[in-house]
mmCIF file of all heavy atoms in Angstrom:
data_model
loop_
_atom_site.group_PDB
_atom_site.id
_atom_site.type_symbol
_atom_site.label_atom_id
_atom_site.label_comp_id
_atom_site.label_asym_id
_atom_site.label_seq_id
_atom_site.Cartn_x
_atom_site.Cartn_y
_atom_site.Cartn_z
ATOM 1 N N ASP V 101 -28.762 14.490 -45.886
ATOM 2 C CA ASP V 101 -28.205 15.274 -44.813
ATOM 3 C C ASP V 101 -27.096 16.178 -45.321
ATOM 4 O O ASP V 101 -26.316 15.766 -46.201
ATOM 5 C CB ASP V 101 -27.609 14.364 -43.719
ATOM 6 C CG ASP V 101 -28.691 13.644 -42.913
ATOM 7 O OD1 ASP V 101 -29.404 14.324 -42.180
ATOM 8 O OD2 ASP V 101 -28.768 12.398 -43.057
ATOM 9 N N LEU V 102 -27.055 17.393 -44.783
ATOM 10 C CA LEU V 102 -25.915 18.251 -45.042
ATOM 11 C C LEU V 102 -24.856 18.001 -43.981
ATOM 12 O O LEU V 102 -25.057 18.276 -42.793
ATOM 13 C CB LEU V 102 -26.359 19.738 -44.973
ATOM 14 C CG LEU V 102 -25.332 20.802 -45.377
ATOM 15 C CD1 LEU V 102 -24.784 20.593 -46.745
ATOM 16 C CD2 LEU V 102 -25.894 22.194 -45.158
ATOM 17 N N GLU V 103 -23.736 17.463 -44.416
ATOM 18 C CA GLU V 103 -22.642 17.079 -43.473
ATOM 19 C C GLU V 103 -22.122 18.328 -42.744
ATOM 20 O O GLU V 103 -22.032 19.411 -43.315
ATOM 21 C CB GLU V 103 -21.490 16.414 -44.193
ATOM 22 C CG GLU V 103 -21.756 14.946 -44.476
ATOM 23 C CD GLU V 103 -20.489 14.239 -44.923
ATOM 24 O OE1 GLU V 103 -19.520 14.919 -45.284
ATOM 25 O OE2 GLU V 103 -20.507 13.009 -44.951
ATOM 26 N N GLY V 104 -21.828 18.129 -41.468
ATOM 27 C CA GLY V 104 -21.274 19.185 -40.671
ATOM 28 C C GLY V 104 -22.301 19.945 -39.871
ATOM 29 O O GLY V 104 -21.979 20.778 -39.055
ATOM 30 N N VAL V 105 -23.560 19.672 -40.089
ATOM 31 C CA VAL V 105 -24.652 20.331 -39.352
ATOM 32 C C VAL V 105 -25.309 19.266 -38.436
ATOM 33 O O VAL V 105 -26.075 18.455 -38.892
ATOM 34 C CB VAL V 105 -25.689 20.932 -40.285
ATOM 35 C CG1 VAL V 105 -26.833 21.600 -39.470
ATOM 36 C CG2 VAL V 105 -25.061 21.954 -41.224
ATOM 37 N N ASP V 107 -24.251 16.516 -37.012
ATOM 38 C CA ASP V 107 -24.111 15.182 -37.608
ATOM 39 C C ASP V 107 -24.449 14.052 -36.649
ATOM 40 O O ASP V 107 -23.710 13.753 -35.743
ATOM 41 C CB ASP V 107 -22.680 14.965 -38.131
ATOM 42 C CG ASP V 107 -22.457 15.641 -39.457
ATOM 43 O OD1 ASP V 107 -23.428 15.761 -40.254
ATOM 44 O OD2 ASP V 107 -21.329 16.064 -39.743
ATOM 45 N N ASP V 109 -25.260 11.316 -38.287
ATOM 46 C CA ASP V 109 -25.007 10.260 -39.216
ATOM 47 C C ASP V 109 -23.544 10.058 -39.509
ATOM 48 O O ASP V 109 -23.146 9.720 -40.609
ATOM 49 C CB ASP V 109 -25.766 10.553 -40.555
ATOM 50 C CG ASP V 109 -25.294 11.874 -41.158
ATOM 51 O OD1 ASP V 109 -24.857 12.734 -40.363
ATOM 52 O OD2 ASP V 109 -25.397 12.032 -42.382
ATOM 53 N N GLN V 110 -22.719 10.229 -38.465
ATOM 54 C CA GLN V 110 -21.303 10.116 -38.679
ATOM 55 C C GLN V 110 -20.876 8.716 -39.184
ATOM 56 O O GLN V 110 -19.867 8.544 -39.827
ATOM 57 C CB GLN V 110 -20.552 10.421 -37.393
ATOM 58 C CG GLN V 110 -20.502 11.884 -37.012
ATOM 59 C CD GLN V 110 -19.683 12.673 -37.987
ATOM 60 O OE1 GLN V 110 -18.688 12.164 -38.553
ATOM 61 N NE2 GLN V 110 -20.047 13.925 -38.231
ATOM 62 N N ASP V 111 -21.700 7.727 -38.854
ATOM 63 C CA ASP V 111 -21.365 6.359 -39.289
ATOM 64 C C ASP V 111 -21.449 6.229 -40.809
ATOM 65 O O ASP V 111 -20.838 5.333 -41.401
ATOM 66 C CB ASP V 111 -22.329 5.329 -38.642
ATOM 67 C CG ASP V 111 -23.764 5.606 -38.944
ATOM 68 O OD1 ASP V 111 -24.138 6.782 -38.958
ATOM 69 O OD2 ASP V 111 -24.525 4.651 -39.166
ATOM 70 N N GLN V 112 -22.186 7.168 -41.449
ATOM 71 C CA GLN V 112 -22.239 7.098 -42.923
ATOM 72 C C GLN V 112 -20.964 7.636 -43.519
ATOM 73 O O GLN V 112 -20.629 7.311 -44.637
ATOM 74 C CB GLN V 112 -23.404 7.975 -43.394
ATOM 75 C CG GLN V 112 -24.750 7.393 -43.022
ATOM 76 C CD GLN V 112 -25.887 8.281 -43.488
ATOM 77 O OE1 GLN V 112 -25.648 9.278 -44.165
ATOM 78 N NE2 GLN V 112 -27.127 7.900 -43.195
ATOM 79 N N SER V 113 -20.315 8.520 -42.783
ATOM 80 C CA SER V 113 -19.089 9.129 -43.331
ATOM 81 C C SER V 113 -17.902 8.262 -42.955
ATOM 82 O O SER V 113 -17.712 7.889 -41.823
ATOM 83 C CB SER V 113 -18.907 10.525 -42.762
ATOM 84 O OG SER V 113 -17.673 11.058 -43.175
ATOM 85 N N PRO V 114 -17.055 7.940 -43.992
ATOM 86 C CA PRO V 114 -15.886 7.109 -43.662
ATOM 87 C C PRO V 114 -14.792 7.874 -42.911
ATOM 88 O O PRO V 114 -13.798 7.281 -42.572
ATOM 89 C CB PRO V 114 -15.420 6.691 -45.056
ATOM 90 C CG PRO V 114 -15.940 7.729 -45.987
ATOM 91 C CD PRO V 114 -17.171 8.224 -45.387
ATOM 92 N N SER V 115 -14.997 9.197 -42.679
ATOM 93 C CA SER V 115 -13.965 9.912 -41.936
ATOM 94 C C SER V 115 -13.978 9.495 -40.481
ATOM 95 O O SER V 115 -14.978 9.038 -39.961
ATOM 96 C CB SER V 115 -14.237 11.426 -42.027
ATOM 97 O OG SER V 115 -15.523 11.719 -41.527
ATOM 98 N N PRO V 116 -12.850 9.558 -39.800
ATOM 99 C CA PRO V 116 -12.740 9.110 -38.394
ATOM 100 C C PRO V 116 -13.694 9.854 -37.519
ATOM 101 O O PRO V 116 -13.856 11.064 -37.573
ATOM 102 C CB PRO V 116 -11.302 9.440 -37.998
ATOM 103 C CG PRO V 116 -10.580 9.595 -39.281
ATOM 104 C CD PRO V 116 -11.550 10.080 -40.270
ATOM 105 N N THR V 117 -14.446 9.146 -36.623
ATOM 106 C CA THR V 117 -15.380 9.775 -35.712
ATOM 107 C C THR V 117 -14.771 9.955 -34.360
ATOM 108 O O THR V 117 -15.392 10.573 -33.484
ATOM 109 C CB THR V 117 -16.634 8.905 -35.570
ATOM 110 O OG1 THR V 117 -16.276 7.604 -35.101
ATOM 111 C CG2 THR V 117 -17.362 8.749 -36.899
ATOM 112 N N SER V 119 -12.247 11.697 -33.604
ATOM 113 C CA SER V 119 -11.520 12.928 -33.513
ATOM 114 C C SER V 119 -12.125 13.809 -32.429
ATOM 115 O O SER V 119 -13.309 13.865 -32.270
ATOM 116 C CB SER V 119 -11.556 13.658 -34.853
ATOM 117 O OG SER V 119 -11.038 14.956 -34.712
ATOM 118 N N SER V 121 -12.023 17.019 -32.394
ATOM 119 C CA SER V 121 -12.485 18.287 -32.917
ATOM 120 C C SER V 121 -13.887 18.153 -33.417
ATOM 121 O O SER V 121 -14.246 17.108 -33.971
ATOM 122 C CB SER V 121 -11.571 18.742 -34.036
ATOM 123 O OG SER V 121 -11.568 17.829 -35.092
ATOM 124 N N PRO V 122 -14.733 19.213 -33.312
ATOM 125 C CA PRO V 122 -16.073 19.142 -33.838
ATOM 126 C C PRO V 122 -16.077 19.115 -35.373
ATOM 127 O O PRO V 122 -15.131 19.555 -35.994
ATOM 128 C CB PRO V 122 -16.725 20.459 -33.326
ATOM 129 C CG PRO V 122 -15.578 21.343 -33.081
ATOM 130 C CD PRO V 122 -14.459 20.462 -32.701
ATOM 131 N N THR V 123 -17.161 18.595 -35.953
ATOM 132 C CA THR V 123 -17.209 18.472 -37.366
ATOM 133 C C THR V 123 -17.188 19.808 -38.073
ATOM 134 O O THR V 123 -16.745 19.915 -39.206
ATOM 135 C CB THR V 123 -18.509 17.751 -37.811
ATOM 136 O OG1 THR V 123 -19.624 18.473 -37.222
ATOM 137 C CG2 THR V 123 -18.568 16.340 -37.336
ATOM 138 N N GLY V 124 -17.575 20.841 -37.379
ATOM 139 C CA GLY V 124 -17.514 22.197 -37.940
ATOM 140 C C GLY V 124 -16.318 22.931 -37.420
ATOM 141 O O GLY V 124 -16.459 24.097 -37.097
ATOM 142 N N SER V 125 -15.168 22.330 -37.320
ATOM 143 C CA SER V 125 -13.969 22.957 -36.768
ATOM 144 C C SER V 125 -13.585 24.161 -37.562
ATOM 145 O O SER V 125 -13.934 24.304 -38.713
ATOM 146 C CB SER V 125 -12.839 21.983 -36.669
ATOM 147 O OG SER V 125 -12.471 21.583 -37.984
ATOM 148 N N SER V 127 -10.787 25.014 -38.658
ATOM 149 C CA SER V 127 -9.590 24.864 -39.470
ATOM 150 C C SER V 127 -9.837 25.412 -40.852
ATOM 151 O O SER V 127 -10.925 25.259 -41.395
ATOM 152 C CB SER V 127 -9.183 23.380 -39.572
ATOM 153 O OG SER V 127 -10.218 22.677 -40.171
ATOM 154 N N PRO V 128 -8.890 26.066 -41.483
ATOM 155 C CA PRO V 128 -9.102 26.657 -42.805
ATOM 156 C C PRO V 128 -9.415 25.622 -43.844
ATOM 157 O O PRO V 128 -8.940 24.495 -43.798
ATOM 158 C CB PRO V 128 -7.811 27.419 -43.062
ATOM 159 C CG PRO V 128 -6.769 26.702 -42.228
ATOM 160 C CD PRO V 128 -7.503 26.268 -41.006
ATOM 161 N N THR V 129 -10.171 26.015 -44.854
ATOM 162 C CA THR V 129 -10.592 25.078 -45.895
ATOM 163 C C THR V 129 -9.391 24.582 -46.686
ATOM 164 O O THR V 129 -9.407 23.494 -47.234
ATOM 165 C CB THR V 129 -11.594 25.730 -46.843
ATOM 166 O OG1 THR V 129 -10.980 26.919 -47.358
ATOM 167 C CG2 THR V 129 -12.864 26.086 -46.116
ATOM 168 N N SER V 131 -6.625 23.609 -45.497
ATOM 169 C CA SER V 131 -5.748 23.021 -44.486
ATOM 170 C C SER V 131 -4.745 22.066 -45.118
ATOM 171 O O SER V 131 -5.046 21.350 -46.059
ATOM 172 C CB SER V 131 -6.606 22.279 -43.436
ATOM 173 O OG SER V 131 -5.767 21.529 -42.609
ATOM 174 N N GLY V 133 -3.635 19.565 -43.686
ATOM 175 C CA GLY V 133 -3.772 18.256 -43.026
ATOM 176 C C GLY V 133 -3.739 17.136 -44.072
ATOM 177 O O GLY V 133 -3.945 17.376 -45.265
ATOM 178 N N PRO V 134 -3.562 15.922 -43.624
ATOM 179 C CA PRO V 134 -3.447 14.829 -44.595
ATOM 180 C C PRO V 134 -4.733 14.630 -45.376
ATOM 181 O O PRO V 134 -5.802 14.551 -44.826
ATOM 182 C CB PRO V 134 -3.190 13.617 -43.662
ATOM 183 C CG PRO V 134 -3.670 14.005 -42.343
ATOM 184 C CD PRO V 134 -3.479 15.461 -42.229
ATOM 185 N N SER V 135 -4.577 14.613 -46.677
ATOM 186 C CA SER V 135 -5.729 14.389 -47.557
ATOM 187 C C SER V 135 -5.787 12.965 -48.065
ATOM 188 O O SER V 135 -6.686 12.609 -48.816
ATOM 189 C CB SER V 135 -5.673 15.377 -48.708
ATOM 190 O OG SER V 135 -4.483 15.180 -49.434
ATOM 191 N N GLY V 136 -4.843 12.150 -47.633
ATOM 192 C CA GLY V 136 -4.838 10.789 -48.126
ATOM 193 C C GLY V 136 -5.607 9.813 -47.295
ATOM 194 O O GLY V 136 -5.412 8.601 -47.383
ATOM 195 N N THR V 137 -6.520 10.335 -46.424
ATOM 196 C CA THR V 137 -7.329 9.460 -45.595
ATOM 197 C C THR V 137 -8.418 8.771 -46.387
ATOM 198 O O THR V 137 -9.089 7.855 -45.915
ATOM 199 C CB THR V 137 -7.953 10.238 -44.459
ATOM 200 O OG1 THR V 137 -8.725 11.303 -44.964
ATOM 201 C CG2 THR V 137 -6.848 10.834 -43.518
ATOM 202 N N GLY V 138 -8.633 9.274 -47.595
ATOM 203 C CA GLY V 138 -9.669 8.655 -48.450
ATOM 204 C C GLY V 138 -11.066 9.099 -48.136
ATOM 205 O O GLY V 138 -12.011 8.522 -48.595
ATOM 206 N N SER V 139 -11.218 10.129 -47.280
ATOM 207 C CA SER V 139 -12.563 10.618 -46.951
ATOM 208 C C SER V 139 -12.570 12.103 -46.750
ATOM 209 O O SER V 139 -11.701 12.645 -46.091
ATOM 210 C CB SER V 139 -13.065 9.964 -45.672
ATOM 211 O OG SER V 139 -12.212 10.290 -44.616
ATOM 212 N N PRO V 140 -13.572 12.819 -47.343
ATOM 213 C CA PRO V 140 -13.666 14.236 -47.115
ATOM 214 C C PRO V 140 -14.122 14.515 -45.720
ATOM 215 O O PRO V 140 -14.903 13.754 -45.132
ATOM 216 C CB PRO V 140 -14.680 14.718 -48.174
ATOM 217 C CG PRO V 140 -15.495 13.477 -48.439
ATOM 218 C CD PRO V 140 -14.570 12.313 -48.276
ATOM 219 N N SER V 141 -13.719 15.668 -45.145
ATOM 220 C CA SER V 141 -14.151 16.041 -43.799
ATOM 221 C C SER V 141 -15.635 16.406 -43.843
ATOM 222 O O SER V 141 -16.157 16.863 -44.855
ATOM 223 C CB SER V 141 -13.337 17.219 -43.327
ATOM 224 O OG SER V 141 -13.876 17.718 -42.156
ATOM 225 N N ALA V 142 -16.265 16.290 -42.692
ATOM 226 C CA ALA V 142 -17.681 16.653 -42.606
ATOM 227 C C ALA V 142 -17.842 18.196 -42.652
ATOM 228 O O ALA V 142 -18.863 18.655 -43.060
ATOM 229 C CB ALA V 142 -18.307 16.125 -41.299
ATOM 230 N N SER V 143 -16.846 18.903 -42.247
ATOM 231 C CA SER V 143 -16.894 20.352 -42.338
ATOM 232 C C SER V 143 -16.435 20.766 -43.744
ATOM 233 O O SER V 143 -15.807 19.998 -44.440
ATOM 234 C CB SER V 143 -15.962 20.964 -41.278
ATOM 235 O OG SER V 143 -14.645 20.559 -41.494
ATOM 236 N N PRO V 144 -16.741 22.034 -44.140
ATOM 237 C CA PRO V 144 -16.344 22.425 -45.477
ATOM 238 C C PRO V 144 -14.848 22.296 -45.620
ATOM 239 O O PRO V 144 -14.059 22.931 -44.897
ATOM 240 C CB PRO V 144 -16.800 23.911 -45.487
ATOM 241 C CG PRO V 144 -17.869 24.039 -44.510
ATOM 242 C CD PRO V 144 -17.502 22.999 -43.416
ATOM 243 N N GLY V 145 -14.425 21.527 -46.566
ATOM 244 C CA GLY V 145 -13.000 21.323 -46.805
ATOM 245 C C GLY V 145 -12.640 21.740 -48.192
ATOM 246 O O GLY V 145 -13.212 22.667 -48.735
ATOM 247 N N SER V 146 -11.719 21.032 -48.804
ATOM 248 C CA SER V 146 -11.304 21.406 -50.150
ATOM 249 C C SER V 146 -12.455 21.239 -51.159
ATOM 250 O O SER V 146 -12.538 21.948 -52.131
ATOM 251 C CB SER V 146 -10.137 20.535 -50.607
ATOM 252 O OG SER V 146 -10.450 19.154 -50.558
ATOM 253 N N GLU V 147 -13.361 20.321 -50.866
ATOM 254 C CA GLU V 147 -14.503 20.123 -51.742
ATOM 255 C C GLU V 147 -15.680 20.992 -51.336
ATOM 256 O O GLU V 147 -16.696 21.068 -52.014
ATOM 257 C CB GLU V 147 -14.952 18.628 -51.711
ATOM 258 C CG GLU V 147 -13.901 17.677 -52.259
ATOM 259 C CD GLU V 147 -14.313 16.224 -52.032
ATOM 260 O OE1 GLU V 147 -14.836 15.907 -50.914
ATOM 261 O OE2 GLU V 147 -14.113 15.425 -52.947
ATOM 262 N N GLY V 148 -15.598 21.616 -50.197
ATOM 263 C CA GLY V 148 -16.726 22.401 -49.688
ATOM 264 C C GLY V 148 -17.692 21.537 -48.918
ATOM 265 O O GLY V 148 -17.448 20.307 -48.739
ATOM 266 N N PRO V 149 -18.815 22.074 -48.472
ATOM 267 C CA PRO V 149 -19.819 21.264 -47.774
ATOM 268 C C PRO V 149 -20.404 20.217 -48.688
ATOM 269 O O PRO V 149 -20.429 20.366 -49.923
ATOM 270 C CB PRO V 149 -20.864 22.323 -47.357
ATOM 271 C CG PRO V 149 -20.664 23.446 -48.281
ATOM 272 C CD PRO V 149 -19.205 23.496 -48.588
ATOM 273 N N ILE V 150 -20.918 19.148 -48.093
ATOM 274 C CA ILE V 150 -21.383 17.997 -48.888
ATOM 275 C C ILE V 150 -22.764 17.549 -48.452
ATOM 276 O O ILE V 150 -23.040 17.421 -47.237
ATOM 277 C CB ILE V 150 -20.406 16.821 -48.765
ATOM 278 C CG1 ILE V 150 -19.025 17.226 -49.327
ATOM 279 C CG2 ILE V 150 -20.930 15.557 -49.426
ATOM 280 C CD1 ILE V 150 -17.946 16.167 -49.039
ATOM 281 N N TRP V 151 -23.641 17.308 -49.379
ATOM 282 C CA TRP V 151 -24.901 16.625 -49.149
ATOM 283 C C TRP V 151 -24.688 15.143 -49.284
ATOM 284 O O TRP V 151 -24.084 14.710 -50.255
ATOM 285 C CB TRP V 151 -25.965 17.062 -50.159
ATOM 286 C CG TRP V 151 -26.565 18.433 -49.971
ATOM 287 C CD1 TRP V 151 -26.268 19.573 -50.666
ATOM 288 C CD2 TRP V 151 -27.570 18.810 -49.029
ATOM 289 N NE1 TRP V 151 -27.023 20.625 -50.216
ATOM 290 C CE2 TRP V 151 -27.801 20.177 -49.219
ATOM 291 C CE3 TRP V 151 -28.248 18.112 -48.010
ATOM 292 C CZ2 TRP V 151 -28.740 20.859 -48.447
ATOM 293 C CZ3 TRP V 151 -29.180 18.806 -47.284
ATOM 294 C CH2 TRP V 151 -29.417 20.190 -47.467
ATOM 295 N N VAL V 152 -25.183 14.359 -48.313
ATOM 296 C CA VAL V 152 -25.078 12.932 -48.379
ATOM 297 C C VAL V 152 -26.505 12.342 -48.467
ATOM 298 O O VAL V 152 -27.335 12.565 -47.572
ATOM 299 C CB VAL V 152 -24.376 12.279 -47.152
ATOM 300 C CG1 VAL V 152 -24.317 10.779 -47.273
ATOM 301 C CG2 VAL V 152 -22.971 12.884 -47.040
ATOM 302 N N ALA V 153 -26.776 11.633 -49.547
ATOM 303 C CA ALA V 153 -28.135 11.134 -49.800
ATOM 304 C C ALA V 153 -28.144 9.583 -49.795
ATOM 305 O O ALA V 153 -27.160 8.968 -50.147
ATOM 306 C CB ALA V 153 -28.648 11.651 -51.123
ATOM 307 N N THR V 164 -25.780 5.215 -51.876
ATOM 308 C CA THR V 164 -25.308 6.441 -51.201
ATOM 309 C C THR V 164 -24.757 7.361 -52.283
ATOM 310 O O THR V 164 -23.882 6.983 -53.096
ATOM 311 C CB THR V 164 -24.196 6.147 -50.168
ATOM 312 O OG1 THR V 164 -24.746 5.306 -49.139
ATOM 313 C CG2 THR V 164 -23.681 7.411 -49.539
ATOM 314 N N VAL V 165 -25.281 8.595 -52.282
ATOM 315 C CA VAL V 165 -24.837 9.585 -53.239
ATOM 316 C C VAL V 165 -24.339 10.822 -52.516
ATOM 317 O O VAL V 165 -25.045 11.393 -51.692
ATOM 318 C CB VAL V 165 -26.020 9.982 -54.180
ATOM 319 C CG1 VAL V 165 -25.535 10.989 -55.268
ATOM 320 C CG2 VAL V 165 -26.620 8.780 -54.846
ATOM 321 N N ARG V 166 -23.097 11.208 -52.806
ATOM 322 C CA ARG V 166 -22.490 12.378 -52.175
ATOM 323 C C ARG V 166 -22.392 13.524 -53.212
ATOM 324 O O ARG V 166 -21.893 13.273 -54.316
ATOM 325 C CB ARG V 166 -21.076 12.028 -51.619
ATOM 326 C CG ARG V 166 -21.137 10.947 -50.530
ATOM 327 C CD ARG V 166 -19.755 10.467 -50.166
ATOM 328 N NE ARG V 166 -18.966 11.448 -49.486
ATOM 329 C CZ ARG V 166 -19.043 11.692 -48.184
ATOM 330 N NH1 ARG V 166 -19.854 10.990 -47.427
ATOM 331 N NH2 ARG V 166 -18.289 12.612 -47.608
ATOM 332 N N ILE V 167 -22.888 14.656 -52.804
ATOM 333 C CA ILE V 167 -23.003 15.803 -53.742
ATOM 334 C C ILE V 167 -22.304 17.018 -53.161
ATOM 335 O O ILE V 167 -22.535 17.352 -51.997
ATOM 336 C CB ILE V 167 -24.499 16.130 -53.990
ATOM 337 C CG1 ILE V 167 -25.226 14.892 -54.533
ATOM 338 C CG2 ILE V 167 -24.633 17.311 -54.919
ATOM 339 C CD1 ILE V 167 -26.743 15.014 -54.516
ATOM 340 N N ASN V 168 -21.492 17.661 -54.004
ATOM 341 C CA ASN V 168 -20.847 18.927 -53.591
ATOM 342 C C ASN V 168 -21.922 19.963 -53.406
ATOM 343 O O ASN V 168 -22.691 20.263 -54.346
ATOM 344 C CB ASN V 168 -19.842 19.349 -54.643
ATOM 345 C CG ASN V 168 -19.013 20.555 -54.244
ATOM 346 O OD1 ASN V 168 -19.517 21.537 -53.819
ATOM 347 N ND2 ASN V 168 -17.702 20.413 -54.373
ATOM 348 N N ALA V 169 -21.998 20.547 -52.170
ATOM 349 C CA ALA V 169 -23.063 21.495 -51.891
ATOM 350 C C ALA V 169 -22.750 22.898 -52.365
ATOM 351 O O ALA V 169 -23.540 23.837 -52.091
ATOM 352 C CB ALA V 169 -23.318 21.493 -50.379
ATOM 353 N N LYS V 173 -22.207 19.141 -58.067
ATOM 354 C CA LYS V 173 -21.707 17.979 -58.808
ATOM 355 C C LYS V 173 -21.663 16.733 -57.902
ATOM 356 O O LYS V 173 -21.401 16.850 -56.709
ATOM 357 C CB LYS V 173 -20.313 18.269 -59.339
ATOM 358 C CG LYS V 173 -20.273 19.335 -60.411
ATOM 359 C CD LYS V 173 -18.853 19.580 -60.915
ATOM 360 C CE LYS V 173 -18.878 20.704 -61.994
ATOM 361 N NZ LYS V 173 -17.483 20.937 -62.480
ATOM 362 N N VAL V 174 -21.921 15.613 -58.501
ATOM 363 C CA VAL V 174 -21.893 14.334 -57.786
ATOM 364 C C VAL V 174 -20.448 13.918 -57.528
ATOM 365 O O VAL V 174 -19.621 13.858 -58.471
ATOM 366 C CB VAL V 174 -22.607 13.221 -58.555
ATOM 367 C CG1 VAL V 174 -22.451 11.879 -57.826
ATOM 368 C CG2 VAL V 174 -24.084 13.551 -58.718
ATOM 369 N N ILE V 175 -20.111 13.685 -56.294
ATOM 370 C CA ILE V 175 -18.744 13.288 -55.912
ATOM 371 C C ILE V 175 -18.598 11.775 -55.964
ATOM 372 O O ILE V 175 -17.587 11.209 -56.416
ATOM 373 C CB ILE V 175 -18.423 13.774 -54.493
ATOM 374 C CG1 ILE V 175 -18.457 15.293 -54.415
ATOM 375 C CG2 ILE V 175 -17.021 13.268 -54.042
ATOM 376 C CD1 ILE V 175 -18.416 15.883 -53.018
ATOM 377 N N GLU V 176 -19.686 11.119 -55.525
ATOM 378 C CA GLU V 176 -19.638 9.630 -55.445
ATOM 379 C C GLU V 176 -21.058 9.097 -55.433
ATOM 380 O O GLU V 176 -21.984 9.703 -54.903
ATOM 381 C CB GLU V 176 -18.934 9.224 -54.143
ATOM 382 C CG GLU V 176 -18.924 7.736 -53.855
ATOM 383 C CD GLU V 176 -18.423 7.404 -52.481
ATOM 384 O OE1 GLU V 176 -18.671 8.198 -51.530
ATOM 385 O OE2 GLU V 176 -17.779 6.328 -52.295
ATOM 386 N N ALA V 177 -21.221 7.936 -56.085
ATOM 387 C CA ALA V 177 -22.507 7.241 -56.059
ATOM 388 C C ALA V 177 -22.172 5.745 -56.033
ATOM 389 O O ALA V 177 -21.567 5.213 -56.919
ATOM 390 C CB ALA V 177 -23.361 7.574 -57.295
ATOM 391 N N ARG V 178 -22.649 5.072 -54.949
ATOM 392 C CA ARG V 178 -22.321 3.633 -54.799
ATOM 393 C C ARG V 178 -23.436 2.925 -54.079
ATOM 394 O O ARG V 178 -24.231 3.519 -53.341
ATOM 395 C CB ARG V 178 -21.043 3.513 -54.014
ATOM 396 C CG ARG V 178 -21.084 4.140 -52.612
ATOM 397 C CD ARG V 178 -19.804 3.924 -51.833
ATOM 398 N NE ARG V 178 -19.800 4.679 -50.565
ATOM 399 C CZ ARG V 178 -20.426 4.317 -49.493
ATOM 400 N NH1 ARG V 178 -21.142 3.186 -49.442
ATOM 401 N NH2 ARG V 178 -20.365 5.079 -48.379
#
Side-chain angles (χ1 to χ4, degrees):
D101 289 292
L102 184 59
E103 280 192 346
V105 180
D107 280 330
D109 58 333
Q110 285 293 328
D111 57 321
Q112 292 180 2
S113 174
S115 58
T117 58
S119 171
S121 61
T123 54
S125 64
S127 59
T129 56
S131 170
S135 58
T137 57
S139 62
S141 170
S143 60
S146 58
E147 295 174 319
I150 297 171
W151 285 103
V152 180
T164 298
V165 182
R166 298 170 68 83
I167 302 165
N168 187 308
K173 294 180 180 179
V174 175
I175 299 170
E176 176 189 33
R178 58 178 173 79

